[in-house]
């Protein structure tokens, strides 16, 4: 029997193309007969098995923890399979640990919404089990994710729940982590005095142990960063140097690298560029030695700022490009890892569906054999007939139940497919938005380093156009519907952005936006955004020359078939030579054709542009 199981496991593992580990429960007539899960290790080509018991779940979770850093895909397979077995067994302790393991994996991939979902599931199980210390651990995990999402008030709420829960207990390690989290939440909220109070409370906790000492020293580093913001530079320098020395003595290269980069940022703020440059380079060397690419990226960004302060635009631009290149690489790798994680979850679910199908086929075969035996018994008496009828009735109920379960599994696959498509579309918009930001930053740096004033203006105008398009994708990325954008809200945001760039202390321009609710598709929204950008920019540059004040009005209305966009000002009007030659106005006419619209202009008390285009 076991040889037959191994053969089926081999066939399924090849069919499913699982990269690292697949788990297949042993076969029988019912789920109660499943006693073990066969696991195929593709690296070694060997089979081994895990008992379908609490020990088996704990074993898989141990594998997940051991492989978390070196082999995250294998870690994810083990965690998903542990959750499946724990749920089947009703093993709540295993469920809670499995949810935490998956949450940590998603958090490393910066998939914060999914990490929160896993941590919340773990919290629910722990509350059911009434395990206070583990409830606190789950609350702290949620709090740290909230900090990453810049939801600092929510983060404080979770940490405060943990403090209330622990009270006067002696769980000082968890208390230290909680107090550090509260300090970070207040630090990011710029409440530096409160942040320092919590970091000091960490230091005051009693107890010993390497883990507790490490949390205390991380609080020392965070306190140093806090003093740098006050600014109390000498005290900040003392604390940061102390933390660097500790992590160096304990062989923690990543933390030592982070400490040196923090010290470099302090020296830059302090006006010590030489010391800042030395610490930044040393910090990057340490980060590169352990392949901590996120710290290497931070180092490039810091070096770019230091060289800019020193008046070295060439090195500033070079390091800025390196920063953005590595930033894009990290985002790509993290997104690919997120996709792989979701594929792993899909693979494990597909395996279990295939296993259930094979179990049902085995049950049908056995039922047929039973029916044959019953028919034979019918030949010897009416009692056999009664048994046969009862058996058929039971089997009919089982078949109906199985069909209902299969229907629910179609539905689940369709929902999973829709979620995957939504995730991929989200990923596309994210990458487009990120590329816009990169191009905009490069144009800004080129403009700053340009010697010719006309070239500076050209590059600045190009940067503004790129930012206008980027804002469209940013709004799409922040809403549920990725196909259309609330264009009235976009106009208000764009107008604020352009006003901030062009207004000076001597020119007071009043701006107003009136609009009907209009949702435009991205193929129409982007050209309209560029049109508005050009018209408002032209008004700021040319319409109010020699004046101290003015007004710009934008209206957007729509009927059943037509949108009407009007941009007007009460300025001096545009000279005819500008109208005929300016690149911006040429773009306006070209972009209007792109959306199959018509543009007209009126002069009198200022200048008015009217763009009508079809609503489709």
């Amino acid at each position: 029997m076991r040889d037959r199981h191994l053969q089926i496991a081999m066939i399924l593992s090849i069919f499913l193309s699982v990269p690292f580990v697949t788990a297949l429960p042993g076969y029988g007539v019912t789920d109660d007969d499943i006693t073990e899960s066969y696991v195929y290790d593709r690296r070694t080509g060997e089979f081994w098995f895990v008992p379908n018991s609490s020990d088996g779940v704990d074993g898989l979770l141990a594998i997940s923890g051991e492989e978390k850093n070196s082999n995250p895909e294998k870690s994810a397979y083990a965690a998903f399979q542990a959750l499946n077995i724990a749920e089947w067994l009703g093993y709540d302790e295993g469920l809670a640990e499995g949810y935490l393991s998956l949450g940590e994996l998603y958090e490393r991939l910066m998939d914060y919404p999914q990490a929160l979902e896993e941590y919340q599931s773990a919290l629910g199980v722990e509350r059911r089990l009434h395990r206070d210390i583990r409830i606190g651990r789950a609350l702290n995990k949620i709090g740290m994710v909230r900090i990453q999402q810049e939801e600092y008030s929510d983060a404080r709420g979770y940490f405060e729940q943990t403090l209330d829960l622990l009270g006067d207990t002696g769980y000082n390690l968890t208390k230290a982590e909680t107090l550090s989290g509260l300090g970070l939440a207040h630090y990011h909220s710029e409440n530096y005095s409160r942040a320092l109070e919590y970091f000091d409370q960490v230091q005051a906790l009693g107890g010993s142990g390497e883990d507790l000492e490490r949390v205390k020293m991380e609080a020392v580093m965070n306190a140093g960063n806090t003093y740098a913001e006050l600014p109390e530079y000498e005290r900040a320098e003392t604390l940061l140097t102390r933390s660097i020395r500790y992590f160096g003595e304990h062989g923690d290269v990543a933390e030592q690298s982070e400490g040196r980069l923090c010290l470099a940022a302090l020296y830059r703020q302090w006006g010590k560029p030489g010391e800042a440059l030395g610490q930044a380079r040393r910090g990057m060397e340490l980060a590169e030695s352990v392949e901590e690419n996120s710290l290497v990226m931070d180092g490039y960004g810091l070096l770019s700022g230091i060289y800019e302060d020193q008046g070295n635009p060439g090195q500033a631009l070079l390091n800025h490009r390196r920063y953005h290149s590595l930033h894009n690489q990290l985002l790509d790798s993290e997104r690919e890892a997120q996709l792989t994680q979701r594929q792993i979850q899909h693979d494990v679910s597909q395996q279990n569906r295939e296993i259930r199908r094979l179990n049902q086929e085995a049950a049908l075969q056995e039922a047929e054999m039973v029916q044959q035996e019953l028919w034979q018994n019918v030949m010897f008496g009416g009692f056999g007939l009664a048994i046969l009828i009862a058996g058929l009735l039971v089997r009919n109920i089982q078949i109906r139940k199985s069909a209902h379960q299969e229907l629910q599994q179609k539905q689940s696959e369709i929902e999973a497919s829709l979620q995957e498509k939504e995730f991929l579309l989200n990923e596309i918009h994210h990458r487009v938005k990120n590329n816009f930001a990169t191009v905009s930053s490069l144009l800004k740096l080129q403009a700053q380093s340009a010697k010719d004033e006309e070239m500076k203006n050209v590059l600045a105008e190009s940067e503004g156009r790129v930012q206008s398009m980027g804002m469209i994708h940013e709004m799409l990325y922040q809403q549920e519907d990725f196909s259309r954008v609330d264009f009235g809200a976009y106009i208000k945001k764009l107008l604020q952005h352009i006003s901030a760039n062009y207004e000076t202390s001597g020119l007071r321009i009043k701006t107003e936006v009136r609009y009907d609710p209009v949702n435009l598709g991205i193929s129409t929204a982007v050209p309209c955004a560029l049109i508005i950008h050009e018209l408002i920019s032209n008004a700021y540059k040319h319409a109010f020359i020699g004046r101290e004040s003015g007004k710009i009005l934008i209206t957007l209305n729509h009927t059943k078939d037509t949108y009407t966009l009007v941009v007007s000002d009460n300025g001096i009007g545009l000279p005819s030579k500008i109208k005929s030659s300016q690149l911006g106005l040429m773009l306006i006419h070209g972009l209007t054709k792109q959306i199959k619209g018509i543009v007209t202009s009126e002069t009198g008390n200022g200048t008015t542009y009217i763009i009508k285009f079809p609503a489709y």
Side-chain angles (χ1 to χ4, degrees):
M1 177 65 74
R2 181 167 180 174
D3 291 340
R4 173 174 169 267
H5 292 171
L6 293 177
Q7 291 172 359
I8 295 174
M10 176 72 82
I11 293 170
L12 280 177
S13 67
I14 295 172
F15 171 72
L16 294 176
S17 300
V18 178
F20 287 97
V21 177
T22 59
L24 302 169
Y27 294 95
V29 176
T30 67
D31 284 346
D32 293 335
D33 295 323
I34 302 175
T35 60
E36 59 188 28
S37 293
Y38 291 96
V39 181
Y40 174 61
D41 191 332
R42 193 172 288 255
R43 296 173 306 164
T44 63
E46 296 179 353
F47 281 96
W48 45 286
F49 69 92
V50 176
N52 282 344
S53 64
S54 59
D55 289 341
V57 172
D58 293 341
L60 285 169
L61 290 174
I63 293 172
S64 180
E66 292 167 1
E67 301 289 348
K68 190 171 296 180
N69 296 322
S70 59
N71 194 340
E73 292 184 35
K74 183 174 180 180
S75 175
Y77 271 106
F80 280 123
Q81 191 61 27
L83 273 177
N84 286 336
I85 300 175
E87 187 173 7
W88 176 67
L89 293 172
Y91 177 36
D92 282 347
E93 291 83 353
L95 273 178
E97 291 299 322
Y99 287 132
L100 276 178
S101 294
L102 285 176
E104 290 170 352
L105 284 167
Y106 282 119
E107 188 175 355
R108 285 174 61 88
L109 300 175
M110 299 177 69
D111 191 347
Y112 298 127
Q114 190 63 42
L116 273 181
E117 184 176 329
E118 304 298 339
Y119 289 150
Q120 292 282 9
S121 297
L123 178 61
V125 177
E126 295 292 8
R127 282 178 168 160
R128 189 163 67 236
L129 293 171
H130 304 290
R131 301 194 297 183
D132 287 351
I133 185 64
R134 295 179 180 272
I135 291 173
R137 182 175 63 164
L139 288 170
N140 285 352
K141 293 284 189 184
I142 296 170
M144 292 306 296
V145 173
R146 285 300 191 189
I147 287 178
Q148 297 294 336
Q149 294 180 311
E150 301 181 0
E151 298 288 343
Y152 306 125
S153 178
D154 285 351
R156 292 196 300 270
Y158 284 104
F159 292 126
E160 287 165 357
Q161 286 185 57
T162 304
L163 283 184
D164 293 340
L165 190 69
L166 297 180
D168 296 329
T169 59
Y171 300 117
N172 283 352
L173 175 59
T174 303
K175 282 185 180 179
E177 293 170 343
T178 307
L179 292 168
S180 289
L182 277 167
L184 283 173
H186 282 287
Y187 169 81
H188 288 293
S189 301
E190 299 183 2
N191 190 346
Y192 301 128
S193 59
R194 288 286 287 164
L196 288 172
E197 288 178 14
Y198 285 112
F199 294 142
D200 288 342
Q201 289 181 43
V202 175
Q203 303 304 313
L205 287 172
S208 59
E210 186 176 339
D211 290 338
L212 179 58
E213 191 64 27
R214 175 187 173 86
V215 175
K216 287 185 175 183
M217 201 51 60
E218 288 173 347
V220 169
M221 183 187 296
N222 290 327
N225 290 330
T226 307
Y227 278 116
E229 297 294 336
L230 286 177
E232 295 185 24
Y233 297 138
E234 292 182 355
R235 197 163 184 180
E237 180 184 31
T238 300
L239 293 175
L240 289 174
T241 302
R242 177 183 163 195
S243 65
I244 292 169
R245 183 169 56 252
Y246 171 86
F247 290 121
E249 291 171 353
H250 288 75
D252 195 327
V253 179
E255 290 285 356
Q256 186 185 4
S257 168
E258 183 178 355
R260 290 191 179 276
L261 292 176
C262 291
L263 189 57
L266 168 67
Y267 284 139
R268 181 193 175 197
Q269 187 176 346
W270 199 348
K272 297 183 176 183
E275 290 89 337
L277 192 60
Q279 290 293 338
R281 286 173 173 170
R282 180 59 181 147
M284 286 187 64
E285 289 174 2
L286 291 169
E288 289 172 341
S289 69
V290 290
E291 297 182 352
E292 284 286 345
N293 288 333
S294 61
L295 290 176
V296 175
M297 179 188 72
D298 292 340
Y300 282 133
L302 190 55
L303 283 174
S304 177
I306 294 170
Y307 281 120
E308 186 176 354
D309 294 342
Q310 292 181 330
N312 190 339
Q315 283 295 324
L317 180 60
L318 176 63
N319 282 279
H320 187 79
R321 286 173 175 169
R322 289 171 176 170
Y323 169 86
H324 275 289
S325 176
L326 187 55
H327 181 260
N328 291 337
Q329 290 176 26
L330 287 174
L331 283 178
D332 290 343
S333 62
E334 284 163 0
R335 293 289 172 174
E336 288 170 7
Q338 289 177 16
L339 290 172
T340 300
Q341 188 92 334
R342 294 174 187 272
Q343 184 62 45
I344 290 170
Q345 186 175 10
H346 173 74
D347 288 344
V348 173
S349 299
Q350 185 177 352
Q351 289 173 254
N352 291 330
R353 287 195 298 270
E354 186 67 14
I355 290 162
R356 286 193 294 269
R357 185 185 66 79
L358 292 173
N359 280 332
Q360 289 172 358
E361 290 180 359
L364 285 173
Q365 292 176 2
E366 186 163 331
E368 290 175 358
M369 293 175 63
V370 171
Q371 288 178 5
Q372 291 177 2
E373 293 176 359
L374 288 174
W375 278 111
Q376 293 175 1
N377 292 334
V378 169
M379 302 298 295
F380 298 98
F383 182 71
L385 179 60
I387 294 176
L388 174 62
I389 293 172
L392 290 174
L393 287 173
V394 171
R395 185 61 194 154
N396 184 45
I397 293 172
Q398 291 177 338
I399 291 172
R400 288 175 180 271
K401 183 179 179 181
S402 176
H404 178 68
Q405 291 174 342
E406 289 295 328
L407 182 61
Q408 288 181 323
Q409 293 167 13
K410 259 196 214 172
Q411 186 176 351
S412 297
E413 289 174 358
I414 291 171
E415 291 175 355
S417 177
L418 289 173
Q419 290 176 356
E420 182 178 3
K421 287 180 172 62
E422 182 179 351
F423 177 81
L424 291 173
L425 188 56
N426 190 330
E427 166 66 8
I428 290 169
H429 281 303
H430 176 83
R431 294 192 182 190
V432 170
K433 173 180 169 289
N434 186 62
N435 288 336
F436 276 131
T438 301
V439 173
S440 178
S441 297
L442 291 175
L443 286 171
K444 184 175 182 179
L445 278 173
Q446 292 281 13
Q448 291 174 351
S449 60
K451 304 297 184 184
D452 182 69
E453 193 64 30
E454 183 178 355
M455 179 58 68
K456 282 187 177 183
N457 293 333
V458 170
L459 290 170
E461 289 177 358
S462 298
E463 181 199 354
R465 295 176 184 121
V466 170
Q467 288 180 344
S468 299
M469 292 186 287
M471 288 167 62
I472 289 283
H473 284 272
E474 182 178 5
M475 293 184 70
L476 287 171
Y477 184 66
Q478 292 174 345
Q479 62 190 30
E480 294 183 0
D481 184 0
F482 295 136
S483 61
R484 307 184 75 81
V485 65
D486 181 349
F487 203 69
Y490 170 80
I491 293 174
K492 292 179 67 176
K493 186 175 180 180
L494 178 64
L495 186 57
Q496 292 171 355
H497 174 73
I498 296 174
S499 298
N501 287 339
Y502 281 101
E503 282 189 340
T504 64
S505 58
L507 182 62
R508 298 186 300 276
I509 302 298
K510 181 180 179 181
T511 59
E512 184 179 355
V513 181
R514 303 172 188 167
Y515 59 91
D516 296 335
V518 171
N519 292 316
L520 296 183
I522 190 169
S523 60
T524 305
V526 171
C528 284
L530 290 172
I531 290 171
I532 295 171
H533 176 272
E534 297 302 326
L535 289 174
I536 298 174
S537 298
N538 280 340
Y540 269 104
K541 288 186 291 186
H542 303 292
F544 306 108
I545 296 174
R547 296 190 179 184
E548 295 183 354
S549 63
K551 181 178 180 180
I552 297 175
L553 172 64
I554 303 175
T555 62
L556 177 62
N557 301 309
H558 75 92
T559 61
K560 181 178 180 181
D561 301 317
T562 305
Y563 293 122
T564 302
L565 173 66
V566 179
V567 180
S568 62
D569 64 70
N570 63 349
I572 62 174
L574 297 179
S576 57
K577 63 178 181 179
I578 294 180
K579 290 182 181 179
S580 62
S581 63
Q582 190 176 4
L583 173 62
L585 297 180
M586 295 171 64
L587 285 174
I588 291 167
H589 288 276
L591 291 166
T592 303
K593 289 182 180 179
Q594 185 176 328
I595 58 175
K596 297 181 174 59
I598 299 173
V599 58
T600 58
S601 61
E602 300 174 358
T603 57
N605 184 19
T607 303
T608 300
Y609 279 89
I610 304 168
I611 296 96
K612 293 181 180 289
F613 55 100
Y616 57 87

